[in-house]
Amino acid sequence: MLEKTQTSTQETIINVDELKLNTTAVENKVERKTVQRWTVDDIAALYEMPLNDLMFKAQTVHRENFDPNAVQVSTLLSIKTGGCSEDCGYCPQAARYNTEVGSEPLMPIDEVLKAAQAAKDSGASRFCMGAAWRSPKQRDLEPVLKMVAEVKAMGLETCATLGMLKEGMAEQLKDAGLDYYNHNLDTAPEFYEDVISTRTYEDRLDTLDSVREADINVCSGGIIGMGETRKQRAGLLAQFANMERPPESVPINLLTQVEGTPMHGTDELDLFEFVRTIAAARITMPKSFVRLSAGRQSMHEGIQAMCFMAGANSIFYGEKLLTTGNPDAETDKALFAKLGLHSI
Ligand code: SAM
Ligand code: DTB
Ligand code: SF4
């Protein structure tokens, strides 16, 4: 089978049957398959393009695959905040860092449902429940299954981000009505150890595999602006673009620097580099929703508009992410009206 593919500098015809299929054995588990669609160097070369050319390429891919003026909107709720045992260097919810976020118990279901109804009334189509767990225990999962079922029954798409999933958990979430599971790779394998030491890249990939196997849509992305190199940004995107099935949803977060976390004080990223990352994600994952995620509060609306032009077609909507701020709904409605965007 012949298929056209884009490389950074030219269009080439490749034989899809000859694409290299890499397989990694994961202790007694199903083999992980990756398809070598994009090398890290090819993606890094996208970043090197003049911005106008990169934007044009990203727009072209976007228009071939999506309504360019439609943006999916998800609302987040932290259902279990703080007290996390992990050491993610960016995260205000890690118990070991002295931040303003305290440890709270799991929210009662009626409060979660009230927040979901408010999100729906305000125009969100998906409700994403986040918990500051390394990995849920079965007794943690039970009430979350009820939340998922009830939120689904309201007519919202459901998403959860609960940490690493143990065997059988993804299936239980699927049975409860979960549409998407968010679990980020966060950064390139080469930079990962500078960010977190309490779980491995392989652990994260295993959870993504179990989500896929349970037939739940995969939402996985990362954080830009943690001090990684451009090549490492390209390396993160290559991880997703070369998955046998790239994630349906790819959140690209700008690091929100929170006092008390090890990453507070990191050099601020030039925001054109963020726009380039969105464009590179769009080009390398033509059929995925690319979400302009954390960090919008520190972006001028002109930069956000450039992200939409570069192919971002999803946002978090509502005044709070998990523990940090996000533009309020009225501000986003005004921005959508100015740009002629509509929500889906
Ligand atoms: N505990 C679960 C986990 O780590 O998978 C779920 C919640 S965790 C807060 C979800 C994601 O939020 C992280 O993987 C990270 O990508 C993102 N995140 C956390 N803190 C952030 C920050 N300060 N800036 C940008 N993104 C952040
Ligand atoms: C994702 O990629 N970004 C969201 C969601 N998935 C769970 C979380 C952003 C968190 C930003 C910091 C905070 O609010 O605590
Ligand atoms: Fe815990 Fe998730 Fe924060 Fe890491 S990102 S410290 S796992 S809540």
Side-chain angles (χ1 to χ4, degrees):
M1 181 173 69
L2 289 179
E3 197 175 81
K4 261 187 179 175
T5 188
Q6 304 274 324
T7 68
S8 55
T9 49
Q10 63 190 42
E11 202 172 72
T12 50
I13 304 287
I14 55 165
N15 186 331
V16 172
D17 299 328
E18 286 173 8
L19 283 174
K20 199 168 125 213
L21 216 60
N22 298 323
T23 53
T24 314
V26 183
E27 342 147 341
N28 304 328
K29 288 185 202 149
V30 189
E31 285 185 336
R32 177 174 305 130
K33 294 194 185 77
T34 63
V35 182
Q36 185 69 47
R37 298 186 186 92
W38 287 88
T39 67
V40 174
D41 285 343
D42 278 343
I43 301 176
L46 291 175
Y47 277 84
E48 300 296 326
M49 290 171 74
L51 188 60
N52 280 341
D53 293 344
L54 177 64
M55 294 292 278
F56 180 70
K57 197 178 184 87
Q59 261 284 302
T60 306
V61 173
H62 194 192
R63 283 168 183 272
E64 282 166 2
N65 292 282
F66 288 99
D67 172 349
N69 301 308
V71 178
Q72 189 278 327
V73 291
S74 295
T75 292
L76 264 175
L77 178 70
S78 180
I79 60 170
K80 158 71 187 91
T81 302
C84 184
S85 60
E86 300 294 272
D87 71 351
C88 310
Y90 49 75
C91 187
Q93 303 199 68
R96 67 190 70 203
Y97 306 138
N98 188 14
T99 70
E100 281 181 0
V101 179
S103 180
E104 292 167 25
L106 184 67
M107 262 172 90
I109 187 163
D110 55 327
E111 282 180 35
V112 174
L113 299 182
K114 229 191 279 173
Q117 188 60 52
K120 188 178 180 200
D121 294 344
S122 171
S125 60
R126 189 177 307 157
F127 191 66
C128 180
M129 291 160 272
W133 287 321
R134 166 182 165 79
S135 172
K137 299 182 180 65
Q138 183 60 32
R139 68 165 185 275
D140 297 323
L141 194 67
E142 307 282 347
V144 177
L145 297 173
K146 290 201 185 76
M147 293 173 190
V148 169
E150 298 271 344
V151 172
K152 178 88 176 164
M154 285 179 177
L156 280 160
E157 287 185 321
T158 53
C159 175
T161 180
L162 314 171
M164 293 182 287
L165 295 179
K166 299 188 195 83
E167 216 179 312
M169 288 185 165
E171 286 72 17
Q172 294 178 64
L173 286 162
K174 172 76 182 175
D175 290 346
L178 192 73
D179 296 305
Y180 287 79
Y181 193 80
N182 166 247
H183 196 64
N184 291 340
L185 292 180
D186 278 345
T187 194
E190 296 74 20
F191 190 62
Y192 185 83
E193 283 175 14
D194 292 30
V195 178
I196 172 165
S197 74
T198 49
R199 59 182 171 183
T200 65
Y201 216 74
E202 276 301 305
D203 290 335
R204 293 200 177 205
L205 289 166
D206 286 349
T207 290
L208 294 181
D209 284 345
S210 76
V211 171
R212 262 281 169 253
E213 279 158 33
D215 199 24
I216 297 171
N217 290 304
V218 172
C219 173
S220 188
I223 308 178
I224 307 299
M226 298 190 292
E228 73 287 341
T229 62
R230 180 175 266 189
K231 187 157 185 185
Q232 288 164 342
R233 292 191 264 281
L236 169 69
L237 297 181
Q239 287 289 321
F240 300 124
N242 293 331
M243 284 177 174
E244 189 182 30
R245 281 177 62 192
E248 281 73 20
S249 166
V250 181
I252 307 290
N253 298 276
L254 174 68
L255 174 69
T256 300
Q257 299 202 14
V258 181
E259 221 173 305
T261 60
M263 291 202 170
H264 185 248
T266 304
D267 286 347
E268 296 284 347
L269 187 80
D270 182 316
L271 291 181
F272 291 125
E273 188 69 7
F274 189 86
V275 174
R276 286 178 187 278
T277 305
I278 297 277
R282 167 52 61 228
I283 293 164
T284 54
M285 290 169 272
K287 297 197 182 302
S288 303
F289 278 84
V290 174
R291 182 174 303 139
L292 166 53
S293 305
R296 286 198 299 123
Q297 259 195 332
S298 50
M299 286 177 206
H300 184 275
E301 60 183 18
I303 292 286
Q304 294 186 56
M306 285 187 77
C307 289
F308 293 125
M309 289 180 220
N313 59 351
S314 173
I315 57 163
F316 285 122
Y317 175 66
E319 65 189 24
K320 209 165 172 198
L321 291 167
L322 292 172
T323 65
T324 63
N326 197 42
D328 60 41
E330 290 315 310
T331 305
D332 278 341
K333 280 184 184 154
L335 181 61
F336 274 36
K338 278 195 249 187
L339 302 181
L341 299 174
H342 61 272
S343 57
I344 50 171

